[in-house]
Amino acid sequence: QVQLVESGGGLVQTGGSLRLSCAASGMSISSYSMAWYRQLPGQQRDWVATISSGGSTNYADSMKGQFTISRDNAKNTVYLQMNSLKPEDTGVYYCQARTLFGDYWGQGTQVTVSS
């Protein structure tokens, strides 16, 4: 079985930073692309960033410069560094593993940015 568990969310003030973690089990993330998505209140789930098995990254235009995706294959973990946070970044952030057997999702971690 494959499990993805997000952590690192919480409450921060405007301008603050958080680093989200996505720990995988039941698979080795080294073989796969990984991604972060977020769902803002009342909206659909939107793609945030992707990192390939080789470490190449891509970002949604609105996230460029603010968020950074990275991976540590030895720890079987993917990260999302979020800086200069604003209240409009408030939402649930999800981790995704993209495999030939299907896409796997974590249950999400809540990020709340206060003003």
Side-chain angles (χ1 to χ4, degrees):
Q1 61 177 326
V2 175
Q3 284 190 290
L4 302 175
V5 180
E6 300 95 336
S7 62
L11 176 65
V12 298
Q13 294 182 326
T14 297
S17 298
L18 285 173
R19 189 179 74 160
L20 307 183
S21 298
C22 173
S25 61
M27 63 175 290
S28 176
I29 69 164
S30 64
S31 300
Y32 306 110
S33 294
M34 305 291 292
W36 286 96
Y37 289 72
R38 72 181 183 184
Q39 187 166 13
L40 306 183
Q43 302 184 28
Q44 68 178 45
R45 189 174 301 182
D46 293 323
W47 171 67
V48 172
T50 303
I51 185 165
S52 73
S53 60
S56 298
T57 59
N58 288 287
Y59 299 90
D61 287 342
S62 61
M63 319 301 176
K64 290 180 180 177
Q66 183 187 3
F67 295 172
T68 303
I69 188 171
S70 62
R71 67 194 300 153
D72 187 337
N73 290 339
K75 296 181 178 179
N76 220 31
T77 300
V78 177
Y79 304 96
L80 184 69
Q81 178 68 44
M82 307 188 296
N83 298 323
S84 302
L85 287 166
K86 304 177 291 292
E88 49 262 46
D89 295 317
T90 293
V92 181
Y93 287 71
Y94 297 89
C95 178
Q96 180 198 54
R98 299 174 176 179
T99 82
L100 292 176
F101 315 110
D103 295 338
Y104 297 90
W105 295 87
Q107 295 201 50
T109 185
Q110 175 71 42
V111 171
T112 302
V113 185
S114 65
S115 57

